[in-house]
Amino acid sequence: MKRTVLIFLSLALAACAKESLQATYDKQTSYIEGFLSTQMQRDPTATLLIRDGVYRLNLHDTLDATLHRTDSLHVGGKVALYYGCFTLTGNTVSSSNLVATNLKELAIQAKWNLTDTTRYKLDTLTLDKSLVPGLATGLEGVQPLDEGYILFTGKYGYGASEKGTIPARSALAYYFWIDNISNED
């Protein structure tokens, strides 16, 4: 009898934990949607792509000098970019929530110590499983000169573990500036 009660209690606690986690992700989704709504009101030409629970807001259309669409990033390709990563704890992105960047101007706004200036340079990433799942999903399809935001709940972030200054299960907002891409091996 005791064993049955313990099993039942364990299952009940697991169900409560799962519901609580889903409530957290639902709240984070409302923050993301609120942020996106504000941004799209400010810039009605911005375009929104939602794929697999990840949101990408492009702040302008990408056309090359001849007014033709440029190539877009595919899985396995490389992207050279500047970025700022923010934890999203409400409907806004704030320099006080900046957790990573390779752009000196963002670091200055956040009042970071700039003793290691070598970290503020264009980064090149490979679009593969080594990236945070939400970031990888959001970067797929970007084009040279794209600028915007990639946002996702903690479900598509670092999960149950913290990563540096990023708390576990944090919703993240990446502001990105794409310099170039390469889909060649």
Side-chain angles (χ1 to χ4, degrees), residues 75-103:
V75 173
K78 294 187 183 310
V79 58
L81 76 162
Y82 287 101
Y83 68 90
C85 177
F86 303 82
T87 54
L88 192 63
T89 57
N91 293 343
T92 60
V93 169
S94 163
S95 62
S96 65
N97 290 349
L98 182 68
V99 293
T101 188
N102 65 344
L103 190 65

Side-chain angles (χ1 to χ4, degrees), residues 81-84 98-123 177:
L81 76 162
Y82 287 101
Y83 68 90
L98 182 68
V99 293
T101 188
N102 65 344
L103 190 65
K104 189 175 181 179
E105 291 79 6
L106 277 181
I108 290 169
Q109 285 177 358
K111 298 182 172 63
W112 284 12
N113 182 345
L114 298 179
T115 55
D116 180 11
T117 56
T118 61
R119 68 189 290 187
Y120 303 108
K121 61 182 170 102
L122 195 64
D123 272 354
W177 303 265

Side-chain angles (χ1 to χ4, degrees), residues 2-17:
K2 273 186 176 179
R3 183 178 164 107
T4 304
V5 170
L6 286 176
I7 291 172
F8 177 75
L9 286 175
S10 294
L11 291 173
L13 286 173
C16 287

Side-chain angles (χ1 to χ4, degrees), residues 148-170:
Y149 293 93
I150 297 170
L151 304 103
F152 47 91
T153 68
K155 181 176 182 179
Y156 304 103
Y158 290 103
S161 58
E162 31 180 86
K163 177 78 169 174
T165 58
I166 303 171
R169 293 186 172 67
S170 289

Side-chain angles (χ1 to χ4, degrees), residues 15-184:
C16 287
K18 187 175 181 180
E19 286 178 24
S20 175
L21 185 57
Q22 187 58 50
T24 297
Y25 293 152
D26 290 346
K27 186 175 186 179
Q28 291 174 350
T29 298
S30 73
Y31 291 159
I32 290 168
E33 290 172 348
F35 173 80
L36 291 170
S37 176
T38 300
Q39 293 302 311
M40 293 181 80
Q41 287 173 6
R42 287 183 187 155
D43 183 0
T45 64
T47 56
L48 179 63
L49 171 70
I50 304 169
R51 184 177 40 214
D52 299 330
V54 176
Y55 302 75
R56 184 174 76 221
L57 182 68
N58 281 2
L59 297 178
H60 55 80
D61 198 12
T62 303
L63 298 174
D64 69 10
T66 60
L67 299 180
H68 291 92
R69 283 260 175 227
T70 58
D71 194 15
S72 61
L73 184 65
H74 303 290
V75 173
K78 294 187 183 310
V79 58
L81 76 162
Y82 287 101
Y83 68 90
C85 177
F86 303 82
T87 54
L88 192 63
T89 57
N91 293 343
T92 60
V93 169
S94 163
S95 62
S96 65
N97 290 349
L98 182 68
V99 293
T101 188
N102 65 344
L103 190 65
K104 189 175 181 179
E105 291 79 6
L106 277 181
I108 290 169
Q109 285 177 358
K111 298 182 172 63
W112 284 12
N113 182 345
L114 298 179
T115 55
D116 180 11
T117 56
T118 61
R119 68 189 290 187
Y120 303 108
K121 61 182 170 102
L122 195 64
D123 272 354
T124 300
L125 306 173
T126 301
L127 185 58
D128 61 18
K129 293 187 184 288
S130 68
L131 295 178
V132 175
L135 181 60
T137 299
L139 284 173
E140 189 175 350
V142 296
Q143 299 174 328
L145 306 179
D146 274 358
E147 177 182 352
Y149 293 93
I150 297 170
L151 304 103
F152 47 91
T153 68
K155 181 176 182 179
Y156 304 103
Y158 290 103
S161 58
E162 31 180 86
K163 177 78 169 174
T165 58
I166 303 171
R169 293 186 172 67
S170 289
L172 298 176
Y174 279 86
Y175 191 67
F176 65 87
W177 303 265
I178 304 299
D179 183 69
N180 63 68
I181 64 158
S182 171
N183 288 309
E184 299 172 13

